[in-house]
Structures are given as structure tokens and as C-alpha cells.
Amino acid sequence: MKVEELYRRDLNLLVALQVLVEERSVSRAAARLNLSQSAMSRVLGRLRSLLGDPLFTRQGQNLVPTEKALSMSSALDEPIGSLKQLLSPIDFDPRSCDQTFTIVTTDYAMQTILPFALPRIYQEAPNVAFEFLPLQDEHLKEQLTYGRADLAICHPIYSIEPLQYGGLGRVGVSCLLSKQHPLAHKQMCLDDYLNFPHAMIAISDGVKSLIERALEDKPKRRMVLRAYHLEAALAIVDMMPLIITVPADLAHLVSERYDLIVKPLPFHFTSFDYSMIWHPRCEHSPAQEWLRSVVKEECGKLIAKRVVEMGLDTEADAMAPPD
């Protein structure tokens, strides 16, 4: 029988047969299926017509199944059990999850956010795996829709509809300078910021657009380097008077590691929201709901702690992802 022929059959009748065999009573089967006794009798009549067999004979108050009914009921045990399991709510157990999650993200998140969530993730789900892909700002929708990525962690700079998102927290911005930089031991003013050469890292493309908006009536900065990884800028930071503008927490982590100077921006800049973003197809996946909850909890706590420690502007209105 072809699958389309199955579609035209009332497969609910087979469930009714299973219940009738178990209960050996039309009235009890009717109660289990929330039917009237007369409706259950009509179901039994349709079953007899469908299967070409009386299926039951009456013995006192009980029904005695025929050999056909018993063999059908036995054959239905496995498929009905599989359907019950398939249609039942899934009790997700992270310890038994062996899924590979694909996350598109920025170098900033890879260095300063995700490493703080991974220990708990692997503690709860030791068999999961991750594939991290570079964020492509202009193609974020495509990466989550067609690229089958499970999650993005970033500050989106383009419209994300109809994607889903959840905030992780506020991120500020600071500048990195070499200790040999002419501004290393003096206060940096706006003219200094505009006149010295700059490096812009792709980790902060969202930062770039926000800074350009804040400085839209000022002369263009001289951008001598744009790269995806911070290491490219660090390789030349001692060779020229370079200003590297990056998220504030990354600036503090890198400054300790590479013996650099951190300077605040010399103009007003509102800290911005960092988000995790996913496609609606992932909305109700138990595994992905678990992953998002861990990322939100661990990364949210981390970002909030840094906001306090670094004195970032928590009073300014949050900047929601673009419409």
C-alpha cells in the first residue's frame, strides 16, 4: 500500500482497535477515548468493515477478541508505541546530548564571552560539540536560515526580522594603545582620536557603525588597518602610533596580556546591547533551548559583572537590535 493510500484511511480506527482489545468492553473503551457508547459502537462497525472480520464476539459483559483482532493488536504495539514516543514532550537530558552546535559569532565573543560559558556547557553536556563560524554581518539572516547555523552571538547592524533574539547585556568601548604611543601617558582628546591612525577589527564592526554615527559631523579617521583578528593590529601596534578601538572588556583583557594601555573614548558613546540570535525553526528545540539558557545565564552574568567593574553607562537607554 502506498503512503498516500494510508493518508486516505482513518488510522484512528487502529488506535480504537488497540483500546478495545485492551478493555474488552465497548463502554470502557468509549470512556478512554472520550466517546459516547453509541459512537464507540459505530467505530467498531467501521473496524469490522475495514478489516473484513467480526473482531469480537460477546461473552457476558465482555468482548472476546478474534484471532484477527489479537494479531492486529500485537502488530500495532510497536508502531503505536513509537508514535506515542514521537508525539510526547521530550524530556531533554544534556548528559545524553551528542549534538554538534554551529554558532556564528565575532572574534570579540570568541575571546571574551563564550570561553566563560563553555566550561559549564561541557560539564552539563560532555558529549556535545561546537563549530564556530565567522559572523558575516550582511548575511546574518542567510547564515541562520540557509547556512543551518543554530545561533549567532553578536551586535547586529542590519535588520534581523524575522529572526528571534535575546539580550545578553551591555557592552562599552575603549581604546588600546602601545606604551610607546605619544598619548600613552597623557589624556586623549577628540582631536587626538581623529588625527592618529586607527585599526578597526571585524570583532567590532557594530562598534564601527556606532562610532561613525557619533562622529558623523567630524573629519574621517585615518584607517590604516582593517582585519578580522585582533592579532593583526597587535603585530604593528609598537611600530606606529596606532589606536585600536574595541569593546571595553576585550581591551582590558588584551592590555594585561600584551602590556598595552587602555584609554576611554574622548567623546560620549552609549554602551550597546550584545545579543544571541536564532532562526524561528530553532525556537522550540529542547537542545537549543538548553544551550540558549546556559549562554544567557553565564554570559549575562559575566557582562553584567564587567559593566559594574568598568563603570560602563548602565543608565542610558539600551540600543535594541535594528528593525
Side-chain angles (χ1 to χ4, degrees), residues 247-259:
D249 44 359
L250 177 59
H252 284 268
L253 290 174
V254 170
S255 68
E256 295 174 3
R257 192 178 307 158
Y258 293 94
D259 198 24

Side-chain angles (χ1 to χ4, degrees), residues 115-126:
F116 295 87
L118 288 175
R120 178 179 162 191
I121 289 173
Y122 280 110
Q123 181 181 26
E124 293 187 11

Side-chain angles (χ1 to χ4, degrees), residues 136-150:
Q136 300 171 21
D137 286 297
E138 295 184 12
H139 304 292
L140 175 58
K141 285 185 186 179
E142 288 78 3
Q143 286 183 290
L144 290 169
T145 303
Y146 306 114
R148 305 299 293 174
D150 301 299

Side-chain angles (χ1 to χ4, degrees), residues 46 48 65-66 99 101 155 160 171 187 217 248 266 283 293 313:
R46 292 171 62 194
R48 286 167 168 162
T66 65
Q99 185 170 335
F101 297 100
H155 171 70
I160 62 170
V171 175
Q187 184 174 346
D217 59 341
E283 177 74 8
S293 70
D313 179 13

Side-chain angles (χ1 to χ4, degrees), residues 266-293:
F267 55 90
H268 177 72
F269 182 86
T270 303
S271 55
F272 59 93
D273 282 341
Y274 224 70
S275 303
M276 55 182 179
I277 303 165
W278 61 94
H279 192 274
R281 65 180 162 78
C282 302
E283 177 74 8
H284 301 295
S285 162
Q288 298 196 39
E289 287 181 330
W290 164 80
L291 176 64
R292 293 195 300 268
S293 70

Side-chain angles (χ1 to χ4, degrees), residues 176-216:
L176 281 171
L177 288 73
S178 163
K179 286 188 174 179
Q180 286 72 50
H181 196 288
L183 301 174
H185 303 292
K186 59 178 284 190
Q187 184 174 346
M188 180 169 59
C189 67
L190 179 57
D191 285 342
D192 293 330
Y193 186 81
L194 295 174
N195 292 326
F196 278 93
H198 285 261
M200 181 58 65
I201 314 303
I203 54 175
S204 49
D205 269 355
V207 172
K208 177 177 179 290
S209 63
L210 294 172
I211 289 178
E212 288 178 347
R213 193 181 309 162
L215 299 175
E216 60 185 353

Side-chain angles (χ1 to χ4, degrees), residues 18 28 80 103 113 117 182 211 220 286 292 314:
Q18 187 82 329
R28 290 195 298 269
I80 287 180
I103 298 180
I113 297 179
I211 289 178
K220 292 286 186 183
R292 293 195 300 268
T314 58

Side-chain angles (χ1 to χ4, degrees), residues 36-37 94-95 129 147 156 169 218 228 241 305:
S36 66
Q37 188 164 338
R95 299 199 65 79
K218 302 293 189 294
Y228 182 73
K305 179 172 178 284

